[in-house]
Amino acid sequence: MQFMLLFSRQGKLRLQKWYNAHPDKLKKKITRELITTILTRKPKMCSFLEWRDLKIVYKRYASLYFCCAIEQNDNELLTLEIIHRYVELLDKYFGSVCELDIIFNFEKAYFILDELLLGGEIQETSKKTVLKAIASQDLLQEDEAVEGALRDIGLL
Amino acid sequence: MALKKVKGNIERMFDKNLTDLVRGIRNNKENEAKYITQCMEDIKQELRQDNLTVKGNAIAKLTYLQMLGYDISWAGFNVIEVMSSNKFTLKRTGYLAASQSFHCDSELLMLTTNMIRKELNSQNQYDAGLALTSLSCYISTDLARDLSQDILTLLSSTKPYIRKKAVLMMYKVFLKYPEALRPAFPKLKEKLEDPDPGVQSAAVNVICELARKNPKNYLSLAPVFFKLMTTKTNNWMLIKIIKLFGALTPLEPRLGKKLIEPLTNLIHSTSAMSLLYECINTVIAVLISISSGMPNHAASIQLCVQKLRILIEDSDQNLKYLGLLAMSKILKTHPKSVQAHKDLILQCLEDKDESIRLRALDLLYGMVSKKNLMEIVKKLMVHMDKAEGTIYRDELLAKIVLICSQNNYQFITNFEWYLTVLVELAQMEFGSKQGHVIAAQLIDVSIRVQAIRSFAVAEMAQLLEFYASNSQFSIMQDVLYSAAWLCGEFASELKEPEASLIAMLKYKSLPPHIEIVFIQNILKLYACCLMKYELAQDYDKICGMYEVTQRKLENSLKSPEIEVQERASSTLMILEVVHCEVMAKKGVKTEQIMEDFDLPIDAEVDKGETVAMQLLNLFNGDLNPVAPKAQKKVPIPEGLDLDSFIEEPDFGENEYSSDSDYEIKGNLFVKDSNERNSKPELTEEEKVKIREARKNEQMNNPHYLKSSNKKYEDIPVAELQLDVPLKVLSKRSDKYLKFDNGAKKSRKNKRSKKHKVESSTDDDNELVNKTLMVNQNLELPEGATLSDSEGSVGNPDDPHRALDIDLDLPGLDEKKLADSPQPESNKIKSKKKKHNKIKKDKSVAAAAAAAKQPGDDGENKKKMKKSKDKKEKTKKKKSKELSNEYEEALGISTPSKEFP
């Protein structure tokens, strides 16, 4: 996978993850181009696009579009599956996820994505394992927060 | 001290945190830019403080702004500061910011090497995990080289979480630092058998990606993968393995034969569409590569096509699209199997979804036959009227042309029909590039199908007349180009060349490349009419025609385009000369008539004697289409050495010939009087000779300006100036007075303008197939064939090219590993261990070599049997595996169905 974009129906970017390094200008151009093309497509159209030498796979969940760019030989259905898996993970983590969850906890959304994919390749297909990894890392953070608070008030 | 801390905390309470920022942006929708500039200022303020927590907060906010599209590269150093914190919370923020904002060309990355190494070796698996995840986004060649050893060590970590990430990370390392592949490969291969399914799947992923780009180096792994394929049920992994086999089979047909059975089994059994789709794709690839040497080959194709039909019939648009896509792959090799489903494909042409219609169009060219071509094209023409958006229209047009012209117009029974279709198409609206397609077709058909020529020319003449008489008449300009050319070139087929000439003379504001075609062909038509009039001795009409044409061409002389100007002026000159000639002849004639009243007026006029004949000679000769790539295939004639001088430059004697100019460049302007005197005296004969040679040289040298003729007063300077005339008109007259030269020149121009057509050299003995059939003569240099392929040139920037490393040379492994540059800190340690290491690696390599022996058929069959047995066993084991806390994706289906 080359990159993944999340954007709203209004065309606002909610998350961008690039697995190949591009200059910022190019990223912006690609994003703008894709958002406009995808938003103009009608809901009954299929989820695949031929774009430059890549294939674009996108899917709309509620008000959010999830859009991935894959290479010519990659499996489109598998990519849809990855998108779906990601949505499921977000859903489990936030508890019936909505766009606002992702806006306010965008870093969590990134963390979850990073546990699912690494360098554009599927890293973990088990939902449980991903969520467990996220939970333990969150726990680490909480421990630190408690520790920090205690230290601040002089108990430690 | 405590007081300061409390004070700091209170201050921090007034800082905006990430949530505040997000909320603030949402509340300030009207002046978002202003609000964000304000926030940026705050963030810069916060980054100046010493407190790392404050900095972390600032970096988190920056990451959000980065996502919105703001540049945060200026904060790179602060990001590294936060990354280096001891606290996990801050590290997490820092590494996320890094992975989002760092670029692999950044110089900042140098600062991160040791920090990342420290994290990779951390006791906490999540620290290492963070570093790996982040590193994968911005790894540079330097980082890859310096850290490859550390990441390689992580492959043997006790924690599957780390192993999994490290395996995937190795792929990124290979891409940046290909030298790491060979030493790392044995370890990577071990991971295919890792007890943890996640690690195993990661290893499959990496090797699959590597093998897809350079399959031949991974053939020896086929048995391992075959085993995995038949024993595993994880669809994610199966898809990757099957994809890998798809890449391997073209290199090893035997593998393909073995694959067919398990793949067809999977096709029958799986409920996951993505897996089914992957299997079908690989089966198609396999069948293409092993051609028809298989007994149940037809059955497999049939199965694929059947399954694809089910996909296409599905209401899910995605499946429909992919089904059509896969069909088009089958169409290339097994057109008959696809043709059976013509009804379905024609039905897809009516689909609401444009992308599906486009895919169906791709298939259409395999569906046509002589019988249904006209009907299908008619359907497409209806679509054309309805179609919105030029992309689909353009595609439709391209497809109509493609299906009609394929195989030398094999399916066209009625060319008049095809021409009419083309003319109809020409009057529709398309993208700018499409006119050229139609124009090329019109010319191609008219040239190659001789029987249709008169019809085509009549049609074109009509087009031109419409165009001239009706300003509302919309037509693609490129088509005018072919219309003008056809009318001119085949003027003899025209019933009323005068009318066409008049229509053509009415052109207005054409693009220059078309205008020159008009001018050129006006001359051809003129010649044709002139012949007619001359035979009839109708000198009044000749004069009338001359005046009209002259007036129009004089307008074109004012064109800002140099090509148009040139063409117009040379044509004008030719016309003038021809007209003078005609008038002179008329004078002679009238004198004769005056002298001898008995002479009948038009009895004596012979075709050969007319001036028009001479003019027509300019355009003599048949035209054949030039084969694509013909130019490249012209062989260099034997004995022609392009590097040798045609005439050896004479350095010794003639040092003042302009060839040796550069030798005396030093004093080009300041002439040394002594130097002049020191020249050896030349005899009169020699002087004349040299002068001749120099004149020649100067004539042929278009850049001739830096004359060294100051030295020789006797050189006729005036003559040379003729090459740079002051008046444009006078120059042409010189050239075109010589008819033959002019003719050749104008024809040459024509040739270079149009790549499609070229006059078939001057010798007329060439036999052109003059039947009703499509003329298949394509101009090609002798000995060259159309099928000569050119070596395909891959993308030189593809990092995978560097990864084309033969991994089956075990002897080199240990050397490479020992040689591979190691991080400085590790060097001392590793030196001690080196001896042991090499021994170890040797045994590993030997084992690997043994395992890699590509088994002969017998062995493989055994393996297959074994694997079948195992399959049954694993089915029993499945329940155990499921309880293994690892979720297997049992049936992947399109999520679109699950989520309405």
Side-chain angles (χ1 to χ4, degrees):
Chain A
M1 193 183 292
Q2 304 278 319
F3 56 83
M4 187 187 239
L5 302 173
L6 258 71
F7 52 89
S8 70
R9 214 160 24 152
Q10 288 78 36
K12 286 243 180 200
L13 204 56
R14 293 300 178 210
L15 191 130
Q16 48 170 326
K17 188 87 195 174
W18 301 78
Y19 295 109
N20 282 12
H22 294 295
D24 275 355
K25 254 191 189 165
L26 184 65
K27 282 188 195 172
K28 268 189 196 166
K29 197 173 155 245
I30 294 174
T31 323
R32 223 177 304 127
E33 206 179 312
L34 281 180
I35 289 180
T36 38
T37 2
I38 291 175
L39 286 180
T40 48
R41 283 174 70 87
K42 296 186 187 91
K44 276 285 172 69
M45 287 183 157
C46 72
S47 310
F48 314 123
L49 277 179
E50 305 255 332
W51 182 79
R52 303 199 184 171
D53 55 343
L54 295 175
K55 291 195 283 196
I56 304 294
V57 177
Y58 71 92
K59 181 101 189 121
R60 187 179 149 184
Y61 288 91
S63 60
L64 267 189
Y65 283 87
F66 291 69
C67 158
C68 296
I70 54 172
E71 280 168 49
Q72 279 302 325
N73 291 324
D74 288 333
N75 188 323
E76 292 94 337
L77 291 175
L78 191 68
T79 312
L80 274 182
E81 203 58 48
I82 294 173
I83 294 179
H84 186 64
R85 182 56 56 103
Y86 183 43
V87 174
E88 280 180 327
L89 284 170
L90 290 173
D91 206 49
K92 276 242 172 85
Y93 182 82
F94 290 109
S96 72
V97 66
C98 68
E99 197 184 331
L100 276 182
D101 287 325
I102 294 174
I103 296 173
F104 280 101
N105 299 288
F106 83 108
E107 82 276 20
K108 301 283 186 208
Y110 274 124
F111 293 147
I112 296 173
L113 185 61
D114 283 343
E115 293 296 332
L116 178 68
L117 300 172
L118 193 144
E121 295 297 321
I122 311 162
Q123 177 187 171
E124 184 55 72
T125 54
S126 154
K127 276 181 267 181
K128 252 185 214 164
T129 317
V130 173
L131 289 172
K132 218 173 80 185
I134 295 288
S136 353
Q137 293 179 59
D138 285 349
L139 202 67
L140 270 179
Q141 276 189 312
E142 267 168 46
D143 286 352
E144 274 179 2
V146 172
E147 196 189 308
L150 288 178
R151 188 168 280 149
D152 280 352
I153 45 174
L155 284 176
L156 255 171
Chain B
M1 188 65 195
L3 197 72
K4 203 180 167 193
K5 228 177 199 170
V6 171
K7 204 178 149 215
N9 279 341
I10 290 172
E11 268 172 13
R12 239 161 61 201
M13 277 161 64
F14 293 106
D15 286 344
K16 265 187 235 126
N17 65 15
L18 179 59
T19 321
D20 297 330
L21 174 80
V22 177
R23 201 164 286 147
I25 292 176
R26 290 173 67 78
N27 289 337
N28 288 281
K29 272 186 182 134
E30 284 82 40
N31 45 4
E32 193 184 294
K34 199 178 153 201
Y35 180 76
I36 285 174
T37 338
Q38 177 61 41
C39 290
M40 280 284 193
E41 283 308 311
D42 293 349
I43 289 168
K44 278 179 191 163
Q45 203 74 43
E46 284 165 30
L47 286 177
R48 266 183 230 124
Q49 292 186 31
D50 288 333
N51 192 327
L52 258 190
T53 319
V54 176
K55 278 187 185 171
N57 186 32
I59 293 297
K61 287 194 278 186
L62 277 181
T63 316
Y64 186 77
L65 293 177
Q66 187 272 342
M67 191 264 291
L68 292 181
Y70 292 88
D71 177 36
I72 65 157
S73 54
W74 51 271
F77 190 74
N78 300 104
V79 171
I80 293 180
E81 271 184 305
V82 176
M83 280 159 80
S84 67
S85 156
N86 289 324
K87 287 202 173 126
F88 183 74
T89 316
L90 291 178
K91 260 190 245 177
R92 216 177 176 190
T93 316
Y95 276 101
L96 176 64
S99 63
Q100 290 303 107
S101 65
F102 281 7
H103 192 268
C104 63
D105 297 333
S106 167
E107 284 178 8
L108 273 175
L109 290 181
M110 278 192 328
L111 301 171
T112 61
T113 318
N114 279 316
M115 196 168 70
I116 291 176
R117 179 173 298 136
K118 199 188 95 198
E119 297 298 337
L120 289 180
N121 296 323
S122 158
Q123 285 306 304
N124 185 340
Q125 61 172 342
Y126 295 114
D127 284 346
L130 262 187
L132 283 171
T133 313
S134 176
L135 183 61
S136 72
C137 294
Y138 50 80
I139 187 162
S140 64
T141 309
D142 286 342
L143 280 176
R145 189 188 53 235
D146 296 342
L147 294 173
S148 69
Q149 203 57 41
D150 299 78
I151 300 170
L152 195 58
T153 323
L154 289 183
L155 286 183
S156 326
S157 159
T158 50
K159 293 155 189 144
Y161 181 78
I162 299 286
R163 286 207 303 275
K164 181 178 71 187
K165 283 185 189 273
V167 168
L168 288 173
M169 192 59 213
M170 280 318 281
Y171 178 58
K172 287 276 167 184
V173 173
F174 297 150
L175 286 182
K176 288 288 176 190
Y177 180 60
E179 289 88 335
L181 177 58
R182 192 191 292 278
F185 191 68
K187 255 190 180 174
L188 194 60
K189 223 180 79 179
E190 276 172 38
K191 298 297 146 206
L192 286 176
E193 323 246 335
D194 197 278
D196 182 85
V199 180
Q200 201 177 25
S201 135
V204 169
N205 265 343
V206 170
I207 293 183
C208 173
E209 286 307 310
L210 288 169
R212 271 165 65 187
K213 302 289 160 53
N214 297 299
K216 68 172 188 301
N217 302 325
Y218 299 87
L219 266 179
S220 57
L221 286 180
V224 185
F225 279 108
F226 197 84
K227 195 177 131 204
L228 281 176
M229 184 177 79
T230 42
T231 51
K232 290 289 164 185
T233 50
N234 181 350
N235 283 345
W236 300 87
M237 203 154 88
L238 276 179
I239 288 176
K240 284 281 177 183
I241 295 174
I242 292 166
K243 196 179 277 302
L244 170 86
F245 278 128
L248 292 183
T249 37
L251 301 171
E252 180 56 88
R254 280 182 303 172
L255 186 62
K257 286 181 190 174
K258 293 214 173 61
L259 279 172
I260 289 290
E261 199 202 326
L263 284 182
T264 41
N265 286 345
L266 270 176
I267 292 178
H268 277 300
S269 62
T270 187
S271 60
M273 284 302 177
S274 51
L275 182 59
L276 173 71
Y277 180 61
E278 197 61 54
C279 286
I280 293 177
N281 265 336
T282 303
V283 168
I284 295 168
V286 168
L287 291 178
I288 289 171
S289 65
I290 60 178
S291 65
S292 55
M294 285 268 301
N296 57 347
H297 161 261
S300 315
I301 278 288
Q302 215 46 47
L303 176 67
C304 286
V305 175
Q306 264 168 24
K307 284 283 174 182
L308 287 179
R309 187 177 173 108
I310 295 172
L311 288 190
I312 297 173
E313 279 172 341
D314 200 291
S315 60
D316 186 340
Q317 298 287 59
N318 293 338
L319 297 182
K320 200 173 264 201
Y321 178 91
L322 294 176
L324 291 169
L325 199 63
M327 275 288 195
S328 67
K329 284 179 201 157
I330 299 183
L331 184 68
K332 280 177 200 135
T333 48
H334 302 84
K336 286 224 173 99
S337 337
V338 183
Q339 266 159 18
H341 303 280
K342 198 166 68 193
D343 55 321
L344 190 62
I345 286 153
L346 288 179
Q347 200 183 311
C348 287
L349 278 181
E350 315 281 336
D351 200 280
K352 300 184 289 289
D353 187 347
E354 188 178 295
S355 6
I356 287 176
R357 288 199 305 260
L358 284 174
R359 288 286 86 80
L361 272 181
D362 284 345
L363 283 164
L364 209 58
Y365 80 91
M367 303 289 117
V368 289
S369 64
K370 277 185 181 171
K371 275 182 201 155
N372 65 9
L373 176 71
M374 286 162 101
E375 180 196 335
I376 288 181
V377 170
K378 194 182 159 198
K379 239 182 203 174
L380 294 181
M381 295 289 279
V382 174
H383 276 280
M384 191 82 88
D385 285 332
K386 286 192 286 187
E388 305 152 14
T390 49
I391 300 172
Y392 184 56
R393 258 162 190 278
D394 290 357
E395 196 61 33
L396 269 174
L397 170 68
K399 282 286 141 45
I400 290 179
V401 169
L402 179 75
I403 60 175
C404 290
S405 65
Q406 64 176 322
N407 276 335
N408 272 316
Y409 308 97
Q410 186 193 350
F411 297 118
I412 294 185
T413 46
N414 185 347
F415 277 98
E416 288 191 13
W417 162 79
Y418 185 45
L419 273 171
T420 324
V421 167
L422 286 175
V423 172
E424 274 173 29
L425 284 173
Q427 294 167 41
M428 295 178 176
E429 274 173 53
F430 289 105
S432 56
K433 279 177 191 160
Q434 305 306 316
H436 179 70
V437 177
I438 298 179
Q441 279 289 299
L442 283 170
I443 292 179
D444 196 44
V445 170
S446 311
I447 291 177
R448 293 172 61 188
V449 188
Q450 301 218 344
I452 198 71
R453 238 175 239 173
S454 60
F455 177 81
V457 172
E459 198 77 6
M460 293 298 108
Q462 206 181 355
L463 264 188
L464 284 175
E465 266 163 52
F466 275 143
Y467 165 73
S469 58
N470 187 352
S471 57
Q472 300 294 310
F473 185 65
S474 79
I475 188 160
M476 279 185 276
Q477 306 227 299
D478 278 304
V479 175
L480 289 176
Y481 161 107
S482 56
W485 187 82
L486 286 171
C487 284
E489 183 63 28
F490 303 118
S492 52
E493 311 260 1
L494 278 172
K495 284 198 186 82
E496 291 176 2
E498 306 90 342
S500 300
L501 178 64
I502 288 162
M504 239 202 266
L505 281 170
K506 284 185 185 156
Y507 67 84
K508 55 227 158 186
S509 60
L510 287 169
H513 72 284
I514 298 174
E515 191 169 347
I516 56 176
V517 173
F518 265 74
I519 296 173
Q520 180 76 10
N521 287 289
I522 282 170
L523 183 61
K524 291 186 200 166
L525 269 178
Y526 186 90
C528 182
C529 296
L530 184 67
M531 173 66 99
K532 210 170 160 185
Y533 293 147
E534 237 185 317
L535 288 177
Q537 301 210 8
D538 195 343
Y539 291 103
D540 288 345
K541 278 200 175 163
I542 292 180
C543 287
M545 182 170 76
Y546 172 69
E547 270 163 33
V548 175
T549 317
Q550 194 194 29
R551 220 174 298 136
K552 183 68 191 178
L553 289 180
E554 270 167 1
N555 276 340
S556 281
L557 270 184
K558 293 169 199 153
S559 162
E561 290 292 328
I562 192 105
E563 287 265 18
V564 177
Q565 246 181 60
E566 187 194 353
R567 202 62 70 104
S569 92
S570 51
T571 308
L572 260 179
M573 275 350 273
I574 294 176
L575 283 184
E576 199 181 307
V577 172
V578 169
H579 195 67
C580 289
E581 195 92 344
V582 172
M583 286 302 123
K585 246 196 178 158
K586 178 191 167 194
V588 174
K589 276 268 159 61
T590 37
E591 267 173 39
Q592 277 178 1
I593 293 164
M594 297 277 267
E595 283 169 16
D596 187 355
F597 288 95
D598 301 333
L599 211 67
I601 291 178
D602 41 7
E604 287 294 303
V605 185
D606 179 30
K607 249 194 181 182
E609 276 178 18
T610 53
V611 184
M613 199 60 217
Q614 293 177 47
L615 186 57
L616 279 171
N617 271 338
L618 290 180
F619 314 113
N620 224 349
D622 259 323
L623 290 169
N624 266 345
V626 180
K629 300 181 204 158
Q631 184 69 47
K632 277 184 196 163
K633 287 178 181 164
V634 177
I636 296 174
E638 226 175 294
L640 173 62
D641 181 3
L642 288 175
D643 295 329
S644 71
F645 286 104
I646 295 172
E647 195 173 348
E648 200 71 38
D650 236 350
F651 289 115
E653 283 177 29
N654 285 349
E655 58 184 48
Y656 19 74
S657 83
S658 56
D659 262 326
S660 55
D661 262 356
Y662 63 93
E663 281 178 4
I664 51 168
K665 231 175 199 168
N667 40 11
L668 199 61
F669 301 108
V670 189
K671 292 284 178 278
D672 194 345
S673 56
N674 292 337
E675 197 189 0
R676 202 191 295 178
N677 297 338
S678 67
K679 293 261 158 68
E681 284 294 317
L682 296 165
T683 64
E684 204 50 41
E685 233 179 293
E686 273 177 314
K687 270 184 186 170
V688 172
K689 217 175 163 186
I690 291 164
R691 216 170 285 148
E692 276 303 315
R694 192 170 46 241
K695 251 192 235 170
N696 253 333
E697 155 87 36
Q698 288 166 353
M699 292 271 282
N700 295 330
N701 187 357
H703 305 298
Y704 190 80
L705 262 179
K706 35 170 186 191
S707 60
S708 55
N709 53 17
K710 273 183 192 169
K711 285 185 241 169
Y712 301 100
E713 286 83 2
D714 51 345
I715 280 176
V717 182
E719 264 178 49
L720 281 173
Q721 278 183 340
L722 277 178
D723 270 353
V724 195
L726 295 171
K727 277 193 173 178
V728 180
L729 276 175
S730 64
K731 163 192 106 189
R732 295 275 155 68
S733 63
D734 292 344
K735 267 186 195 169
Y736 288 95
L737 272 174
K738 295 171 198 164
F739 253 61
D740 278 352
N741 277 353
K744 267 177 200 161
K745 192 129 204 167
S746 70
R747 259 171 57 190
K748 258 182 204 161
N749 276 347
K750 186 179 70 193
R751 275 184 221 171
S752 56
K753 278 278 100 58
K754 290 192 207 142
H755 304 287
K756 265 273 155 186
V757 274
E758 188 178 339
S759 74
S760 65
T761 63
D762 288 331
D763 42 354
D764 289 329
N765 53 1
E766 193 185 78
L767 287 171
V768 183
N769 187 10
K770 290 189 179 177
T771 56
L772 288 175
M773 296 303 294
V774 180
N775 189 348
Q776 298 192 14
N777 275 7
L778 292 174
E779 297 266 322
L780 259 186
E782 274 173 52
T785 53
L786 265 179
S787 55
D788 282 359
S789 60
E790 287 164 282
S792 64
V793 187
N795 177 11
D797 294 335
D798 190 355
H800 293 283
R801 279 161 74 103
L803 283 175
D804 191 0
I805 297 167
D806 191 357
L807 297 162
D808 290 340
L809 296 174
L812 286 171
D813 278 6
E814 58 239 49
K815 239 189 194 174
K816 272 266 175 176
L817 195 61
D819 287 347
S820 70
Q822 288 175 3
E824 300 257 324
S825 55
N826 282 5
K827 245 179 192 165
I828 306 155
K829 276 189 219 164
S830 61
K831 253 187 192 170
K832 287 178 199 164
K833 286 184 187 170
K834 217 177 213 174
H835 199 65
N836 286 337
K837 213 177 186 179
I838 289 177
K839 268 192 182 171
K840 238 190 206 170
D841 284 323
K842 255 186 191 166
S843 57
V844 168
K852 275 177 198 169
Q853 290 289 324
D856 57 342
D857 273 9
E859 241 182 50
N860 272 348
K861 268 179 196 164
K862 271 183 206 165
K863 270 182 192 164
M864 269 179 70
K865 269 188 191 169
K866 268 188 195 168
S867 57
K868 263 187 204 165
D869 292 348
K870 266 187 191 163
K871 206 178 175 185
E872 279 163 29
K873 274 184 203 166
T874 44
K875 269 182 192 163
K876 285 171 201 165
K877 273 188 195 167
K878 218 193 248 169
S879 51
K880 274 185 199 169
E881 253 179 59
L882 278 175
S883 64
N884 211 3
E885 238 219 310
Y886 182 77
E887 246 178 286
E888 296 267 61
L890 279 176
I892 305 175
S893 61
T894 22
S896 50
K897 284 187 167 171
E898 288 171 23
F899 271 61

